[in-house]
Amino acid sequence: MNGYVHSTESFGTVDGPGVRFVIFLQGCPMRCKYCHNPDTWKMNSGSVRSAQSLIAEYERNKAFYKNGGITVTGGEALMQIDFLLELFTLAKKKGIHTCLDTSGITYREGESSYNRKLDALMELTDLVMLDIKHIDPEGHKVLTGHDNAGILAFARYLDEKNVPVWVRHVIVPGITDDPGLLSRLGAFLGTLSNVKALDVLPYHIMGVRKYEELGIDYPLKGVEPATKQQALEAKKTILTAYWRVRKGK
Ligand code: SF4
């Protein structure tokens, strides 16, 4: 089957362990104000690629991916779950490490054919990188246009399924850097037993040019980039709350 692909990156080093073949799928329902890939938002556009052709592209450089594998990101990769199922089925047949980078926005609790597909996909997924954009439901809505209830439920679902998770959180000055919010995020993560790593990233403005090219107003005009030090401090706050819960203090 075919999928809509925005682009591929042959030697990714920040989207999962080791050197990875990174596939950016097209289409995302979120509208994160700091998104640096607004060109991935539109559904059903980009290059039409078969799962086989992507695996073949991986195999051309496979000597470089010894400790890495394939990461599928976006856009929102789970918008094309049928394609992902085929791609990861092929990847697992070849023993390739599979990583899914997602915001979790497509998840809804309960019985559904979508959730049955998700169960099957998780059997084929070695690692999920979960972007938690904002821990507060209202704040999340303002930042992304969507509520975060399904996303937090997705995090709990991954825990129940024992899927290893790397959590990512972007520090945006004045929006996600409040210590109270960071502690709430850490306390939530502390209720999960599958969190293997936490990446706290400083907000940057490298995507601004893309907004200009697309003729879209940049929503965070005037917000300064965060520093590495701010991200480091935020990570400490999150982890303090995380360990408090994990150790039952
Ligand atoms: S989920 Fe990712 S691709 Fe979608 S709007 Fe947010 S940052 Fe952009």
Side-chain angles (χ1 to χ4, degrees), residues 35-120:
C35 180
H36 54 269
N37 291 321
D39 46 336
T40 65
W41 289 348
K42 199 168 168 208
M43 300 297 302
N44 303 333
S45 67
S47 313
V48 176
R49 297 281 307 266
S50 69
Q52 287 86 349
S53 79
L54 289 164
I55 295 291
E57 195 174 331
Y58 169 91
E59 297 221 296
R60 279 201 287 278
N61 291 315
K62 78 173 180 194
F64 294 96
Y65 304 131
K66 266 197 316 267
N67 302 314
I70 289 181
T71 294
V72 184
T73 180
E76 174 46 63
L78 283 173
M79 294 299 284
Q80 298 187 57
I81 192 165
D82 294 314
F83 180 67
L84 263 180
L85 269 167
E86 185 172 326
L87 182 68
F88 277 13
T89 299
L90 289 175
K92 290 322 298 174
K93 276 191 188 145
K94 291 183 176 287
I96 300 169
H97 183 276
T98 53
C99 173
L100 168 67
D101 179 8
T102 177
S103 69
I105 187 63
T106 59
Y107 184 73
R108 295 291 172 275
E109 280 177 288
E111 263 299 307
S112 67
S113 60
Y114 183 85
N115 284 358
R116 281 191 289 281
K117 287 179 190 174
L118 201 55
D119 289 347

Side-chain angles (χ1 to χ4, degrees), residues 124-161:
L124 303 163
T125 303
D126 295 309
L127 175 69
V128 170
M129 299 186 79
L130 179 62
D131 292 320
I132 299 185
K133 316 282 184 187
H134 203 302
I135 192 62
D136 181 73
E138 273 313 306
H140 195 277
K141 211 176 257 180
V142 173
L143 182 62
T144 72
H146 293 264
D147 184 58
N148 66 1
I151 291 166
L152 302 185
F154 182 62
R156 288 189 287 268
Y157 161 84
L158 293 173
D159 191 22
E160 280 160 24
K161 293 269 167 204

Side-chain angles (χ1 to χ4, degrees), residues 202-241:
Y203 161 69
H204 63 73
I205 52 171
M206 284 185 273
V208 173
R209 199 173 42 84
K210 287 191 187 172
Y211 284 76
E212 286 162 7
E213 283 165 9
L214 293 167
I216 310 171
D217 267 345
Y218 187 63
L220 294 186
K221 243 178 236 159
V223 176
E224 290 295 316
T227 62
K228 280 189 185 160
Q229 187 57 31
Q230 280 172 304
L232 206 64
E233 291 300 323
K235 184 170 180 172
K236 274 189 209 157
T237 307
I238 297 169
L239 285 177
T240 301

